[in-house]
Each structure stands twice: as structure tokens, then as C-alpha cells.
Amino acid sequence: MTINLQKGQKIDLTKTNPGLTKAIIGLGWDINQFDGTQEFDLDASAFLVGASGSVQQDIDFIFYNNVKHPSGGVEHTGDNRTGKGDGDDEQILLDFTKIPAHVDKVAVAVTIHDAEARHQNFGQVSNAFVRVVDDANSNEILRFDLGEDFSVETAVVVCELYRHNGEWKFNAVGSGFQGGLASLCRNYGLEV
């Protein structure tokens, strides 16, 4: 049975789901039909963050140009440039057993490619969600619908998966940023 979360809620993943070692982080969204003529290209990414609150090295940033972490712990399944259709628009695969020990959390974000040049923002995006699926049996564990709280933001930290006492937990973040991917990268200590 799927648990529906609200912004700010946290939940155990591995403790309440014994045997969960691999998860699919599915992200989806729709574009409001009346918003301009330019195509929207939303991109999912994952920041593997250490105890300092920053990404320690460039390889710990997973996105469409760096789709798989060398550890095999985090993998982006590919860039969906239109977001058309039902279900997940992009996915990030996690293998909790392979995520390096220096990583305390995996922050999952969605950005709008070339948002400023195209005059696009998350106020033009609807039905955005993130869900966690058990890779072993395809059961949806939880879902977080982001709602319509955004206006001028061009990037959103959707959720964080983090270690706590040897277990993995999920935090429904839903925090918006202006400045797109570059701003988000700086937030996590990466040079752009």
C-alpha cells in the first residue's frame, strides 16, 4: 500500500521495508497547455551529499551528462526531453548497498533546461510528483505530490533520501530555487 506524504514529512524506507536494497525514484510532471510555444525540458538530477552538506567531488553529481555513479549506487535512466505521457517522466535508480560511505544523503531535484531563456518556470508545471518503488517487486512504497506552490522557481529539490542509524529515510522536501541547475549546483558546493 502506497503512503502519500505531505511537504516536510519524513518516513523510514529500509527499516519499515525489510529487504529493500534497490529502489526506483520515479519523477513525473505535466506542462500547462496554455503556457507558450516553446517546449519544456525538465531534468532530474541527484546530488550525493556528504556530512559537510556539500557534494565532495564532481562524480557525486548524477544528471543527464553523468548518468551513473562509479559505485553503481545511483543511476539516472536517461533524459526525457518532452515529459509527454503518463507515469514516470524520468527515473533515478538507487542501490542502497552500493552508495559510498561518504554519502549521507541523496538529494533529488528537477530543473527546467534553459528556463530563463525560454521564460519558463515551475508555475507552468502541474501534477509534479516523486514516488519510491521497490525494484524487487515493483510495489510503490510512497508518493509525494508537489502541489501547485511554485511560481517563478526554475529548480526544485523534490526529496532527500538520507542515512540515519544505519537505515535509509525519505524526506519530502519540495523546496524551490531560482537560477536553475547552476544555482542548485552552487547550493550543494559544486563549481559551475
Side-chain angles (χ1 to χ4, degrees), residues 88-154:
D88 299 341
D89 292 311
E90 293 193 10
Q91 293 181 332
I92 295 174
L93 310 178
L94 299 180
D95 184 337
F96 295 115
T97 66
K98 294 182 179 178
I99 295 175
H102 74 272
V103 175
D104 286 351
K105 71 179 170 186
V106 178
V108 177
V110 177
T111 57
I112 302 173
H113 183 70
D114 282 340
E116 288 158 8
R118 295 178 182 185
H119 306 290
Q120 297 171 342
N121 58 58
F122 273 94
Q124 299 162 306
V125 175
S126 59
N127 304 320
F129 68 86
V130 60
R131 65 192 193 113
V132 177
V133 176
D134 185 336
D135 187 52
N137 57 24
S138 299
N139 288 339
E140 185 175 274
I141 298 170
L142 64 85
R143 182 181 183 97
F144 168 42
D145 293 310
L146 271 71
E148 311 295 321
D149 296 337
F150 304 105
S151 56
V152 298
E153 295 85 353
T154 55

Side-chain angles (χ1 to χ4, degrees), residues 46-72:
F47 297 86
L48 283 66
V49 180
S52 67
S54 297
V55 172
Q56 293 182 8
Q57 49 196 347
D58 289 347
I59 61 169
D60 290 343
F61 172 43
I62 307 302
F63 68 117
Y64 56 83
N65 278 339
N66 179 36
V67 295
K68 189 171 185 178
H69 192 269
S71 68

